[in-house]
Amino acid sequence: MCKELTVEKGYFALHSDELSNLMYDIQFYLLSRGSKLKNEEEFLKRYPELIVFGDGTFRTGGYAPDFVSDWIANKMAKNQIIRKGFLGGLYFSDEYLARFLDNETIRTSR
């Protein structure tokens, strides 16, 4: 998927296009599965760990905060990302998680 995004744009960068939104979904899923995210602010604060300042070979060195904050605001407005319980944190809704995990692009990416 990252290769497809890079070929499509001519460089690797996440913006507000369909493939970028799918990458934001993947990043949120990985971060929310590995640790509790109390709220949107915490996700936005921790987001750079995922792709900007990573300690591996896969990193961008920068990002556009507005695209990420618009993405999470949109997901929450559509109830695709929800708060579970009073202190439960942020997660994909059960319905959206099922669609996300069944996404053909994710399952066939190489």
Side-chain angles (χ1 to χ4, degrees):
M1 176 180 349
C2 294
K3 179 181 175 184
E4 183 181 347
L5 197 149
T6 302
V7 168
E8 185 177 297
K9 293 180 178 183
Y11 56 93
F12 181 79
L14 301 178
H15 296 114
S16 62
D17 54 274
E18 185 178 340
L19 284 175
S20 293
N21 283 315
L22 186 53
M23 285 296 302
Y24 296 135
D25 281 0
I26 291 168
Q27 293 167 343
F28 177 82
Y29 176 74
L30 293 173
L31 187 58
S32 67
R33 299 282 294 180
S35 62
K36 183 175 165 183
L37 298 169
K38 297 176 196 167
N39 52 41
E40 309 91 290
E41 292 78 18
E42 183 176 354
F43 171 74
L44 293 171
K45 180 180 176 185
R46 297 200 45 209
Y47 177 81
E49 298 170 21
L50 294 169
I51 197 164
V52 181
F53 306 116
D55 59 0
T57 59
F58 187 75
R59 62 182 178 182
T60 62
Y63 76 109
D66 289 345
F67 290 126
V68 182
S69 58
D70 289 349
W71 170 84
I72 197 166
N74 183 43
K75 292 289 182 191
M76 294 190 75
K78 292 179 178 180
N79 290 318
Q80 294 173 339
I81 291 178
I82 59 170
R83 287 184 180 86
K84 287 191 176 181
F86 181 68
L87 298 173
L90 298 180
Y91 299 92
F92 282 139
S93 68
D94 292 340
E95 297 82 14
Y96 189 76
L97 179 60
R99 285 197 329 253
F100 167 74
L101 293 175
D102 193 44
N103 186 312
E104 185 70 22
T105 303
I106 294 170
R107 291 186 292 118
T108 60
S109 290
R110 301 187 211 304

